[in-house]
């Protein structure tokens, strides 16, 4: 073994070692965050958090409010996003579809706080007050591009033969899409929607000045609406241990919700694949 | 039948067009809402480091106004004279309540509040740069590990762990960063606990999984034949990564870095907890400062008037910047991946 060879092998070892350390570092951060959340969260967790509202020191209204807004965003955003994705994959050809596709990708990475500012200018400032609808719409704007891209990708996986068979049977194009193609892509689409829901339920920035938050139980989307994430931000900045513990409990629950939905989504994909 | 088909196609087309409409509306609404500030401060806003600062400017009066004012001080209960004061709305008329003769009657003092975006713009750029400097090497390492080094039984679980790290909401990064990470950074580097450095590092940890995942995907597109030929020539793993995979996946890797940069620019919550929210150009890495998203998050609720339009000005600047950065990543680097 000459010296050049030895040097090459040594460089190789060093770089591969550093690369493995990077991966370990990534895992360290993940487990550090998860363990912190678990320890702080579980010690602050109490069954009464689920039966009392924030005003009485609980989280019930916040969890409900966050869930309702994410659900509203899904109800508004999924049909629009899926239709747009269907257009891009099944009807769109050429320049226009490509431009929309790129714009949708850009929108997916647009700063969420700017989307909050936009919704504020359009839906909050004119009506004179923060409200749950504005929060839901802000989340829907975050969700739509995710659904567009999922639909676009999932439909592209459906084999061409299915389309041809459908049309050969005399089905019109929209029937083939609705009854054959969407069914073939069902699992992928459901997973995509699940992941999009998980993404928006953890959002804070677009809700700060659209829905705000509310210490009381509320089912009226026309007023300031309870938000788990916005309240975490408020509580964490509140200088009492009680508020901070509540913030930890809320963070723990939020992370559990988001990660569980993500894991379910991934296992559905894995079972299918 | 034909009719239904026509309607379905139109509805799908309209939904796709909605994306164009929403993006255009964001541009237009932000611009309209920012217009008073854009007109008042112009481009100087971008390099002005004052925020919410009251300044007084002396405005020389014309001969007629001085005369009017003198008459007014002499007969102060005559309210009709107020109409003659051109600056009635926003001026403090010296001598209004004063009875002495020493009052300077030749100038009016006009108070005004000025806003400039220099500090948050610098804070945004610096925190993003720190995040990138921290995350690029580690993300590349993780991607190389997942693409080339990891034994088969580790690829899936480690890959999934990295993706879960990306799914954790940003506010959680903020909480964890503030209470657990910042004290450690302060112990090592000194300075303030909430600082440019801690914000940048937590931001880096946040974009790490995202960058690593896209980089790995780009690396995985390298054809096995190319790698196998290199190994057959006696290349080491590192040489294959350096000379085969990196050149082949270069475009995708650069794209993933730029896309992550775009995301880091607009990140709010993780930074809001950690940057300190101080309107001052940071003297060192460990000084507190503020970034554009954090200014918006902290002030939007209570703002009005000039402050509100200045906040929209900042939002507009942020949106344009991230649009250009994410757009260029898409158009130039990631296009072929579809």
């Amino acid at each position: 073994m000459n010296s050049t060879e030895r040097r090459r092998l040594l460089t190789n070892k060093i770089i591969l070692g550093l690369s493995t350390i990077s991966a370990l570092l990534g895992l360290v951060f993940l487990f550090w965050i998860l363990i912190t959340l678990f320890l702080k969260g579980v010690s602050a967790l109490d069954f009464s958090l689920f039966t009392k509202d924030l005003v009485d020191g609980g989280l019930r209204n916040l969890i409900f409010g966050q869930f309702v807004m994410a659900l509203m965003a899904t109800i508004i955003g999924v049909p629009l996003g899926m239709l747009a994705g269907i257009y891009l994959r099944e009807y769109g050809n050429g320049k226009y579809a490509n431009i929309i596709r790129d714009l949708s990708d850009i929108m997916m990475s647009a700063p969420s706080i700017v989307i909050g500012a936009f919704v504020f200018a359009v839906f909050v400032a004119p009506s004179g007050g923060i409200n749950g609808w504005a929060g839901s719409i802000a989340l829907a704007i975050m969700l739509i591009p995710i659904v567009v891209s999922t639909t676009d990708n999932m439909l592209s996986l459906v084999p061409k033969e299915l389309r041809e068979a459908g049309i050969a049977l005399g089905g019109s194009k929209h029937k083939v899409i609705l009854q054959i193609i969407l069914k073939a892509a069902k699992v992928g689409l459901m997973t995509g929607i699940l992941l999009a829901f998980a993404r928006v339920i953890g959002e804070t920035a677009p809700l700060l000045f659209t829905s705000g938050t509310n210490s009381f139980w509320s089912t009226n989307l026309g007023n300031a609406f309870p938000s788990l994430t916005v309240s975490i931000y408020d509580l964490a900045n509140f200088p009492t241990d009680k508020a901070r513990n509540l913030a930890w409990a809320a963070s723990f629950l939020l992370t559990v919700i988001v990660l569980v939905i993500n894991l379910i989504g991934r296992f559905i994909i894995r079972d299918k694949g | 039948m034909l009719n239904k088909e026509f309607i379905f196609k139109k509805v799908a087309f309209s939904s796709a067009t909605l994306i164009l409409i929403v993006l255009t509306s964001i541009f237009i609404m932000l611009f309209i809402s920012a217009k008073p500030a854009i007109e008042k401060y112009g481009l100087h806003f971008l390099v002005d480091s004052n925020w919410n600062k009251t300044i007084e400017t002396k405005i020389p009066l014309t001969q007629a106004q001085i005369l009017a004012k003198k008459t007014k001080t002499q007969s102060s209960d005559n309210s009709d004279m107020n109409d003659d004061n051109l600056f009635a709305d926003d001026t403090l008329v010296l001598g209004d309540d004063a009875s002495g003769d020493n009052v300077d009657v030749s100038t009016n003092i006009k108070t005004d509040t000025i806003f400039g975006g220099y500090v948050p713009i610098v804070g945004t750029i610096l925190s993003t740069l720190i995040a990138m400097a921290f995350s690029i090497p580690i993300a590349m390492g993780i991607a190389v590990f997942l693409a080339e080094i990891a034994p088969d039984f580790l690829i899936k679980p480690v890959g999934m762990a990295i993706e879960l790290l990306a799914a954790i909401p940003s506010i959680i990064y903020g909480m964890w960063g503030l209470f657990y990470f910042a004290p450690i950074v302060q112990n090592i580097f000194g300075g303030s606990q909430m600082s440019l450095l801690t914000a940048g590092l937590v931001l880096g940890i946040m974009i790490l999984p995202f960058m690593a995942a896209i980089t790995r995907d780009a690396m995985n597109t390298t054809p096995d034949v190319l790698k196998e030929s290199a190994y057959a020539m006696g290349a080491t793993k590192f040489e294959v990564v350096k000379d085969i995979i990196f050149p082949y996946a270069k475009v995708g890797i650069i794209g993933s870095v730029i896309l992550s940069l775009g995301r880091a620019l607009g990140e709010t919550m993780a930074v809001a907890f950690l940057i300190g929210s101080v309107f001052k150009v940071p003297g060192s890495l460990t000084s507190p400062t503020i970034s554009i998203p954090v200014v918006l998050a902290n002030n939007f609720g209570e703002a009005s008037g000039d402050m509100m339009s200045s906040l929209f000005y900042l939002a507009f600047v942020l949106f344009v910047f991230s649009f250009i950065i994410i757009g260029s990543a898409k158009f130039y680097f990631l296009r072929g991946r579809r």
Side-chain angles (χ1 to χ4, degrees):
Chain A
M1 201 187 271
N2 60 34
S3 71
T4 326
E5 208 166 312
R6 210 171 294 135
R7 209 181 51 235
R8 281 176 55 211
L9 289 176
L10 188 67
T11 319
N12 185 48
K13 266 195 184 137
I14 293 172
I15 298 291
L16 296 193
L18 286 176
S19 170
T20 311
I21 290 171
S22 304
L24 279 175
L25 201 60
L27 293 179
V28 165
F29 284 129
L30 177 69
F31 285 108
W32 188 0
I33 294 173
L34 290 184
I35 290 169
T36 306
L37 272 172
F38 186 79
L39 293 178
K40 293 296 279 184
V42 167
S43 68
L45 215 55
D46 184 335
F47 186 71
S48 69
L49 294 181
F50 299 100
T51 58
K52 289 194 286 190
D53 295 335
L54 180 60
V55 68
D56 304 314
L59 298 169
R60 183 182 62 159
N61 66 327
L62 300 177
I63 298 169
F64 172 79
Q66 192 82 12
F67 193 79
V68 166
M69 283 194 286
L71 195 66
M72 280 297 161
T74 311
I75 293 170
I76 300 169
V78 165
L80 291 170
M82 274 181 70
L83 281 165
I86 288 172
Y87 177 80
L88 294 184
R89 182 53 55 190
E90 303 294 329
Y91 291 101
N93 33 27
K95 253 199 164 125
Y96 186 70
N98 276 332
I99 290 173
I100 296 291
R101 204 171 267 145
D102 284 328
L103 288 180
S104 172
D105 283 350
I106 292 176
M107 207 161 120
M108 189 154 40
S109 295
S112 52
I113 190 105
V114 169
I115 289 171
F118 164 69
V119 172
F120 177 90
V122 178
F123 295 98
V124 177
S127 73
I130 50 176
N131 62 80
W133 286 116
S136 306
I137 291 169
L139 293 185
I141 295 178
M142 310 263 339
L143 181 124
I144 288 173
I146 308 177
V147 176
V148 171
S149 131
T150 307
T151 310
D152 192 11
N153 289 330
M154 290 303 146
L155 294 190
S156 76
L157 297 177
V158 176
K160 205 171 149 201
E161 288 73 19
L162 272 181
R163 290 185 178 95
E164 288 167 350
I167 288 170
L169 284 172
S172 58
K173 195 164 183 182
H174 78 280
K175 274 211 155 153
V176 173
I177 292 171
L178 292 175
Q179 294 179 357
I180 298 175
I181 299 178
L182 284 189
K183 268 189 189 150
K186 197 172 65 187
V187 176
L189 290 174
M190 291 301 292
T191 309
I193 292 167
L194 219 53
L195 294 182
F197 180 83
R199 167 89 199 276
V200 296
I201 204 172
E203 280 292 342
T204 314
L207 295 177
L208 281 173
F209 30 83
T210 52
S211 71
T213 186
N214 191 337
S215 307
F216 298 90
W217 176 264
S218 169
T219 51
N220 179 6
L221 283 162
N223 286 329
F225 207 66
S227 156
L228 188 65
T229 49
V230 175
S231 284
I232 291 176
Y233 186 48
D234 291 346
L235 288 168
N237 285 310
F238 211 74
T240 66
D241 279 347
K242 197 171 172 244
R244 281 195 185 149
N245 285 335
L246 204 54
W248 280 114
S251 303
F252 174 68
L253 289 173
L254 180 69
T255 310
V256 168
I257 294 169
V258 170
L259 291 188
V260 165
I261 299 176
N262 264 280
L263 285 171
I264 293 174
R266 274 163 226 284
F267 280 113
I268 295 177
I269 294 182
R270 185 179 279 184
D271 282 354
K272 175 79 177 171
Chain B
M1 248 347 190
L2 261 177
N3 206 16
K4 265 192 194 163
E5 170 66 29
F6 179 77
I7 292 170
F8 183 76
K9 191 177 171 181
K10 281 293 163 209
V11 171
F13 174 80
S14 313
S15 304
T17 307
L18 186 71
I19 288 168
L20 181 67
I21 294 171
V22 169
L23 264 182
T24 320
S25 321
I26 294 179
F27 259 113
I28 294 172
M29 281 310 292
L30 291 180
F31 184 77
I32 291 176
S33 309
K35 218 172 164 221
I38 294 176
E39 276 167 358
K40 188 167 173 186
Y41 308 117
L43 286 176
H44 183 70
F45 180 85
L46 304 177
V47 291
D48 188 343
S49 57
N50 294 303
W51 179 265
N52 204 359
K53 189 185 178 200
T54 308
I55 49 158
E56 295 179 341
T57 29
K58 288 188 175 169
I59 296 165
L61 295 181
T62 61
Q63 206 60 37
Q65 283 170 322
I66 295 171
L67 210 69
K69 209 155 119 182
K70 272 183 179 165
T71 333
K72 194 179 161 190
T73 20
Q74 277 155 19
S75 54
S76 49
D77 13 34
N78 189 353
S79 54
D80 291 349
M81 295 309 287
N82 273 336
D83 296 339
D84 293 338
N85 190 337
L86 294 173
F87 298 99
D89 280 331
D90 49 3
T91 54
L92 175 77
V93 182
L94 266 191
D96 219 11
D97 303 314
S99 50
D101 298 344
N102 298 334
V103 177
D104 175 16
V105 287
S106 65
T107 54
N108 257 356
I109 293 183
K110 189 175 187 292
T111 63
D112 192 10
T113 314
I114 53 165
F115 292 92
Y118 184 68
V119 177
I121 289 172
V122 169
T124 308
I125 294 172
L126 291 180
S127 57
T128 305
L129 286 180
I130 294 172
M132 298 308 283
F134 176 75
S135 59
I136 289 175
I138 301 178
M140 293 303 136
I142 295 175
V144 169
F145 179 80
L146 288 174
E148 284 304 301
I149 303 172
D152 283 348
F153 71 96
L154 275 182
I155 292 179
K156 268 199 173 168
V158 175
M160 190 178 240
I162 299 295
E163 277 163 31
L164 286 185
L165 197 56
I168 294 176
S170 60
I171 189 158
I172 306 294
Y173 281 92
M175 283 276 284
W176 166 80
L178 176 63
F179 293 111
Y180 288 88
F181 191 68
I184 294 175
V185 176
Q186 189 191 27
N187 276 341
I188 300 172
F189 296 96
S192 165
Q193 208 174 83
M194 292 190 190
S195 69
L196 189 60
L197 184 67
T198 46
L201 289 179
V202 172
L203 192 55
I205 296 172
M206 229 193 104
I207 56 171
L208 189 59
F210 179 75
M211 200 192 291
I214 322 185
T215 304
R216 174 202 57 191
D217 291 348
M219 286 179 175
N220 279 340
T221 58
T222 315
D224 285 340
V225 189
L226 284 184
K227 291 188 265 181
E228 281 157 10
S229 326
Y231 282 127
M233 301 283 287
T236 62
K237 263 194 179 160
F238 168 61
E239 283 160 351
V240 170
V241 169
K242 177 172 68 100
D243 297 326
I244 308 291
I245 298 181
F246 262 89
Y248 188 88
K250 194 171 67 189
V251 168
I253 294 172
I254 296 173
S256 93
V257 169
I258 296 179
L259 204 56
S260 311
L261 177 89
R263 288 230 164 160
L265 270 187
E267 174 49 39
T268 310
M269 298 321 293
V271 182
F273 274 99
L274 290 155
I275 201 162
S277 300
V278 175
F279 261 99
K280 208 172 156 215
V281 176
S284 72
L285 280 181
T286 54
S287 325
T289 181
I290 200 160
S291 73
I292 297 178
V294 179
V295 177
L296 297 177
N298 291 345
N299 297 294
F300 223 93
E302 300 87 42
S304 60
D306 279 350
M307 187 194 262
M308 190 52 117
S309 51
S310 300
L311 290 174
F312 273 111
Y313 197 163
L314 283 175
F316 183 70
V317 170
L318 179 64
F319 186 61
V320 170
F321 265 102
S322 45
F323 190 92
I324 293 171
I325 288 173
I326 300 163
S328 59
K330 284 283 164 205
F331 283 86
Y332 294 108
F333 299 109
L334 298 175
R335 187 135 246 190
R337 294 205 315 123
R338 199 150 16 230

